[in-house]
Amino acid sequence: QVQLVESGGDSVQAGGALRLSCAASGNSVSRLYMGWFRQAPGKEREGVATVDSDGSTSYADSVKGRFTISKDNAKNTMYLQMNSLKPEDTAMYYCAANLFPSLRRVLDARGYGYWGQGTQVTVSS
């Protein structure tokens, strides 16, 4: 069983930065297929960024050049560095993981079986 706990969400002004953390237990982040997803009220959950067991990353077009996903194996934690935040980035952000690669696209939330509780990010103009 994998447990995930997110932290780092906050309210910031447009142009600001935040770093989200996802602490994992029950398995090593170096072996997991992991990602960050977000969901705004009334909208579907969308993939933001993913990283696989080999370190390969993928990003949604809307965050490319602004967000960076990474893992720290020593701390067993995954991070999402978010720079140049925009009001459209406002959402609940979730950490997700799988033990094995999914047949779905890596940014498809339906391909992940383990989820954290979420952390709120609010960006004001």
Side-chain angles (χ1 to χ4, degrees):
Q1 179 171 293
V2 178
Q3 291 184 306
L4 306 170
V5 180
E6 304 100 327
S7 62
D10 205 350
S11 296
V12 299
Q13 292 187 327
L18 287 172
R19 188 178 75 162
L20 305 184
S21 299
C22 174
S25 61
N27 215 318
S28 172
V29 298
S30 67
R31 301 169 61 186
L32 294 169
Y33 297 82
M34 305 185 73
W36 288 97
F37 297 79
R38 65 188 183 187
Q39 188 167 23
K43 298 183 179 180
E44 293 186 345
R45 188 167 299 186
E46 64 174 344
V48 176
T50 65
V51 57
D52 68 15
S53 61
D54 293 323
S56 179
T57 60
S58 295
Y59 295 91
D61 289 342
S62 59
V63 307
K64 287 180 180 177
R66 299 188 298 122
F67 291 9
T68 303
I69 190 171
S70 63
K71 295 178 180 179
D72 186 327
N73 294 338
K75 296 182 179 180
N76 210 39
T77 299
M78 178 180 67
Y79 301 97
L80 183 68
Q81 179 65 48
M82 305 186 294
N83 298 326
S84 302
L85 284 163
K86 304 175 180 179
E88 63 202 65
D89 295 318
T90 295
M92 184 72 74
Y93 282 71
Y94 297 92
C95 173
N98 258 2
L99 298 176
F100 305 98
S102 171
L103 295 177
R104 300 180 182 275
R105 296 183 297 274
V106 294
L107 289 169
D108 188 336
R110 294 171 293 181
Y112 295 80
Y114 298 98
W115 293 86
Q117 82 288 350
T119 185
Q120 179 68 41
V121 172
T122 301
V123 184
S124 60
S125 60

